[in-house]
Amino acid sequence: MSDCLFCKIITGDIPADIVYQDDKILVFKDINPKADVHLLMIPKAHIKSLTELNTSYNDLIAYMMLKLPELANDQGLSGGFRTIINTGSEGGQEVFHLHIHLLGGKNLPGF
Ligand code: AMP
Ligand code: ZN
């Protein structure tokens, strides 16, 4: 999607602080962190939100879920972490490319 901010990060047209990537996903630091550690995990495929998923994405979604604790561990979050997926404008989604927030650290705000 040519007008998608996160697709532009995937292509390198917009810079980001990338912490991990492979053929399926990209993980980078949130530009406006809400905690000591605040990463965003996105699929490299342009998927707008959770509502666009179907069973053809089963393997990708499982892959992303299994990668989260690995990333949290790499970030030193041995005491735990929080994951958030905002969906739709009323769900607080601002960027319409599916992303999972990974937050952690001592200053994690209450939910
Ligand atoms: P959401 O509200 O769930 O759609 O989250 C979008 C997130 O993207 C917010 O936490 C923003 O701070 C973050 N964000 C927006 N632009 C950038 C950017 N250029 N690089 C990194 N994170 C960004
Ligand atoms: Zn996109």
Side-chain angles (χ1 to χ4, degrees), residues 1 4 6-7 46 96-97:
M1 283 279 275
C4 172
F6 287 174
C7 281
H46 179 81
F96 284 81
H97 181 128

Side-chain angles (χ1 to χ4, degrees), residues 1-8 10 42-48 95-98:
M1 283 279 275
S2 56
D3 59 347
C4 172
L5 174 68
F6 287 174
C7 281
K8 287 179 182 164
I10 291 166
I42 64 174
K44 286 198 167 172
H46 179 81
I47 300 166
K48 277 188 213 146
V95 179
F96 284 81
H97 181 128
L98 178 65

Side-chain angles (χ1 to χ4, degrees), residues 46-54 56-57 87:
H46 179 81
I47 300 166
K48 277 188 213 146
S49 77
L50 278 186
T51 59
E52 206 176 76
L53 290 178
N54 57 54
S56 73
Y57 294 111
T87 303

